[in-house]
Structures are given as structure tokens and as C-alpha cells.
Amino acid sequence: MAKQVFNVLFLCTHNSARSVMAEAIVTMFGEGRFKGFSAGSFPSGKPNPFALEQALAIGYPLANIRSKSWDEFVAPDAPLMHIIITVCDAAANEVCPIWLGHPATAHWGFADPSTQGDTDALRRAAFSKTFAAIKAQIAHLLALTDAELSAPDLGARLTALGKKMPIPAAS
């Protein structure tokens, strides 16, 4: 019997940094049990180069990354999402589309690394710090059992997890 693959959609306003990195992390460390996707309410049209560096560092194919609208994930031929997580406060406060299949939803707020620092070195450090924070949080998601991932209270469980995790501010 084939194992269930849990599709996880990460949302951020511009789909250029945090959501892109989360997509890469959950896919690469999910060991085939999770598949990551990302989108934005107002996509920028291109991923941030520092986010691409972080994804490439863990072996995520850059060809898989593009900045796209969340509208792609409400289309009839879109993959069915099991979990949807907003990773920026702006996206969390927007009116989201109606998601097919009633996925579990949660918010995990991370500071925007693209607004940190005035040199490439400082921006790269901010992206590295945010990437590590997202990876630490996703590790808790990946540790959930199939029964926990299928439970009706999954959204509340993921929201609580987001509130418990220390999210470092970008420097």
C-alpha cells in the first residue's frame, strides 16, 4: 500500500522568500512523505536570490521555484492541499481563497529577511537565520504521525505549534 503524501502549501504575500524557502525545506526533509508548494496573494514575479541560495544549499532544484499566485491552487486541476500555512503576517490577515478539500490551516509568522540589512552580507545573514527558524519549525511538522496529520484538530495543533516556537527576529 502506498504511503500518503501530505501536500503543504506555504503562503506569503509576494512568494519570493519565506514561502519559497519553506517549500524547499518541507520537500527536501519530508522524505517523500511531504511535498511542498508555495504561492502569494500578490506574487512579485521572481524569487529573491538569497532565498534561492538557501534552497540550492539543501539541494532543492531551482527549476521548481517560481513566484506564483495562490489562484493556481484553487483551479480545478490543482493538487489537493492537506495543510496550508501562512508564513508572513500580511498574508495571514488577507482574505484567502476557498481551498478545495478543507485543508488544515495555520499561521507561523516569520520576519521578512528581505527587509533586513543594507549590504548583501547582512541580507544573506538574515536569510540564513530565517531559513534556520523555518527549518526548525518544519521539523516539528515532519515529526507528526500520520494519525496526527489526519486528525480533525490538525489546524489547531499546527497553530499552537506556531505560537510555541521561538521565532527569532531578523537582525
Side-chain angles (χ1 to χ4, degrees):
M1 183 163 132
K3 274 187 144 181
Q4 174 164 359
V5 175
F6 294 91
N7 290 332
V8 185
L9 176 60
F10 295 94
L11 299 175
C12 200
T13 304
H14 301 295
N15 188 220
S16 63
R18 293 161 285 184
S19 54
V20 166
M21 293 189 296
E23 170 189 341
I25 292 166
V26 81
T27 301
M28 294 304 293
F29 294 101
E31 299 178 346
R33 193 168 157 237
F34 293 86
K35 180 162 175 56
F37 299 86
S38 66
S41 53
F42 297 95
S44 68
K46 62 181 182 174
N48 186 294
F50 296 113
L52 294 176
E53 283 181 11
Q54 294 296 319
L56 186 60
I58 61 169
Y60 193 66
L62 296 186
N64 291 358
I65 299 177
R66 64 184 177 84
S67 179
K68 61 203 150 300
S69 172
W70 61 17
D71 292 338
E72 288 188 26
F73 294 95
V74 295
D77 60 342
L80 185 66
M81 292 300 139
H82 300 94
I83 300 168
I84 299 177
I85 300 172
T86 53
V87 291
C88 75
D89 293 338
N93 293 319
E94 293 176 345
V95 177
C96 291
I98 303 296
W99 305 108
L100 299 175
H102 306 290
T105 61
H107 174 64
W108 296 347
F110 295 94
D112 184 356
S114 66
T115 64
Q116 307 302 311
D118 55 3
T119 67
D120 282 355
L122 289 173
R123 282 188 286 276
R124 188 170 279 116
F127 270 83
S128 180
K129 187 175 184 178
T130 300
F131 186 88
I134 293 170
K135 184 179 174 191
Q137 189 127 337
I138 287 175
H140 293 279
L141 167 66
L142 301 180
L144 295 174
T145 66
D146 285 0
E148 290 170 316
L149 289 164
S150 300
D153 70 340
L154 178 60
R157 186 182 302 243
L158 293 172
T159 296
L161 175 62
K163 290 178 181 174
K164 283 197 293 191
M165 292 294 296
I167 307 297
S171 51

